[in-house]
């Protein structure tokens, strides 16, 4: 558990999310506002990535929540500065499950929060650091030996698929007027009376009786029919092309310069006084 008295921020690191949540509940019971308390848990599917499980808007914990381990390092660097304490706490946080951060308004407030987190089971950071193999940069390995870690960033280029466009087929029914010509035949009955003056013949006497003659009229009418025919097909397809893209980026590397120290001139003050 760490306490930054300058910014009044208290951080407790826990091995389980349950302990962290219990600690947050105890802080609430003690009168701390949950707006000032963040519970941050490591996503087991994302390695050392953390996400904010309280959903609060507090800044300091939000810097570490849901990001990579580098942001956790930045979070502790803001508390301690760029020294071994920040590296040690960042290492322990990456090897633990949850953190609880409390933003306090006074030193007494921060001291009370630290006591609650300790009682709730916050881990001993120094002990945890030794158990997880943490080595401070620039510390002695053997008598007379010191070491400095050389860290180098490697560029890793991946690919993701995103939608850049597309096309959609949509069909609709439209109507338009059309016309066609057809010749139609019609029959009409005509009556003609022709004056005749001649003697009646035997045939005329045979026809000289009542009777009925009928002539019918016929006419052609236009009959309309429709036939549906496929006149066009519209097809959507995709053509895949590939291109080469060069990524320009910078990577960082630790360079260690070794400077040999010369002999130092040490003068005896007593002898100097005697020669005067």
């Amino acid at each position: 558990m760490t306490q930054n008295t300058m910014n009044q921020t208290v951080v407790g690191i826990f091995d389980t999310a349950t302990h962290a949540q219990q600690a947050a509940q105890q802080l609430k019971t003690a009168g701390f506002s949950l707006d000032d308390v963040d519970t941050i848990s490591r996503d087991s599917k994302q390695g050392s990535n953390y996400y904010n499980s309280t959903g609060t808007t507090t800044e300091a914990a939000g810097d570490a929540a849901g990001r990579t381990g580098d942001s956790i390092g930045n979070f502790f660097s803001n508390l301690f500065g760029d020294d071994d304490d920040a590296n040690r706490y960042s290492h322990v946080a990456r090897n633990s499950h949850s953190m609880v951060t409390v933003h306090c308004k006074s030193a007494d407030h921060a001291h009370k929060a630290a006591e609650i987190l300790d009682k709730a089971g916050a881990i001993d950071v120094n002990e945890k650091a030794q158990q997880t193999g943490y080595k401070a940069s620039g510390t002695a390995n053997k008598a007379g030996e010191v070491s400095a870690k050389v860290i180098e960033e490697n560029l890793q280029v991946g690919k993701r698929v995103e939608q850049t466009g597309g096309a959609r087929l949509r069909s609709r029914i439209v109507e338009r007027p059309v016309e066609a010509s057809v010749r139609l035949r019609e029959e009409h009955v005509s009556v003609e009376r022709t004056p005749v003056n001649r003697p009646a013949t035997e045939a005329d006497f045979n026809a000289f009786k009542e009777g009925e003659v009928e002539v019918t009229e016929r006419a052609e009418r236009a009959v309309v029919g429709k036939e549906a025919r496929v006149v066009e097909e519209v097809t959507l397809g995709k053509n895949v092309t590939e291109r080469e893209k060069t990524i320009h980026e910078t990577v960082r590397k630790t360079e260690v310069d070794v400077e040999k120290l010369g002999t130092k001139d040490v003068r005896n003050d007593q002898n100097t006084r005697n020669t005067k």
Side-chain angles (χ1 to χ4, degrees):
M1 193 273 301
T2 181
Q3 176 179 346
N4 186 328
T5 58
M6 181 177 296
N7 295 324
Q8 306 300 333
T9 301
V10 181
V11 180
I13 303 177
F14 297 85
D15 282 328
T16 66
T18 301
H19 289 160
Q21 293 170 359
Q22 291 175 351
Q25 187 61 39
Q26 292 178 19
L27 289 167
K28 178 182 178 182
T29 304
F32 287 82
S33 172
L34 289 183
D35 290 337
D36 297 327
V37 178
D38 277 331
T39 302
I40 311 167
S41 299
R42 180 166 58 87
D43 190 343
S44 59
K45 296 181 180 180
Q46 299 293 333
S48 61
N49 287 2
Y50 276 76
Y51 65 92
N52 190 335
S53 61
T54 57
T56 61
T57 57
T58 310
E59 286 290 336
D63 290 340
R67 302 183 185 174
T68 62
D70 289 339
S71 292
I72 295 177
N74 293 337
F75 171 63
F76 284 108
S77 294
N78 291 333
L79 293 180
F80 296 106
D82 294 329
D83 58 11
D84 186 63
D85 286 337
N87 295 333
R88 183 169 65 258
Y89 275 84
S90 299
H91 171 84
V92 172
R94 296 187 187 102
N95 287 274
S96 301
H97 189 279
S98 300
M99 291 193 304
V100 175
T101 62
V102 187
H103 300 275
C104 303
K105 300 177 181 178
S106 64
D108 293 338
H109 202 219
H111 181 71
K112 182 179 179 181
E115 290 181 346
I116 293 174
L117 292 179
D118 283 337
K119 293 179 180 179
I123 64 175
D124 186 314
V125 173
N126 294 330
E127 182 179 344
K128 183 74 172 183
Q130 293 178 357
Q131 293 174 354
T132 54
Y134 172 76
K135 283 187 177 181
S137 59
T139 56
N141 295 327
K142 297 180 181 178
E145 294 185 2
V146 294
S147 64
K149 292 183 179 180
V150 176
I151 302 174
E152 181 177 1
E153 294 179 337
N154 295 322
L155 182 63
Q156 297 178 349
V157 180
K159 297 186 293 184
R160 74 172 186 271
V161 178
E162 60 182 22
Q163 182 175 339
T164 58
R168 179 184 294 112
L169 285 179
R170 181 183 293 111
S171 63
R172 63 183 185 276
I173 305 298
V174 297
E175 295 182 353
R176 61 184 178 89
V178 296
E179 62 180 23
S181 299
V182 60
R183 184 177 293 276
L184 302 176
R185 180 174 174 272
E186 293 183 353
E187 297 177 344
H188 301 280
V189 176
S190 60
V191 178
E192 294 183 2
R193 293 177 178 271
T194 305
V196 177
N197 188 5
R198 60 178 177 78
T201 63
E202 185 177 352
D204 293 331
F205 284 111
N206 291 335
F208 188 62
K209 57 183 178 180
E210 292 183 356
E212 185 178 288
V213 177
E214 182 179 297
V215 177
T216 59
E217 296 178 345
R218 289 182 174 85
E220 294 177 338
R221 296 288 184 259
V223 179
V224 178
K226 297 180 182 179
E227 179 187 10
R229 301 179 61 84
V230 179
V231 297
E232 185 181 8
E233 291 184 353
V234 180
T235 304
L236 285 181
K238 293 193 295 185
N239 295 324
V240 179
T241 59
E242 293 185 355
R243 61 187 176 90
E244 198 78 21
K245 182 175 182 179
T246 302
I247 305 300
H248 299 280
E249 189 55 86
T250 58
V251 294
R252 299 177 298 172
K253 178 182 178 181
T254 302
E255 291 187 354
V256 178
D257 297 328
V258 179
E259 179 182 355
K260 291 188 177 182
L261 303 177
T263 56
K264 184 177 181 181
D265 184 12
V266 180
R267 287 186 283 182
N268 191 312
D269 291 341
Q270 182 65 32
N271 294 336
T272 300
R273 287 194 297 268
N274 290 337
T275 57
K276 291 183 180 180

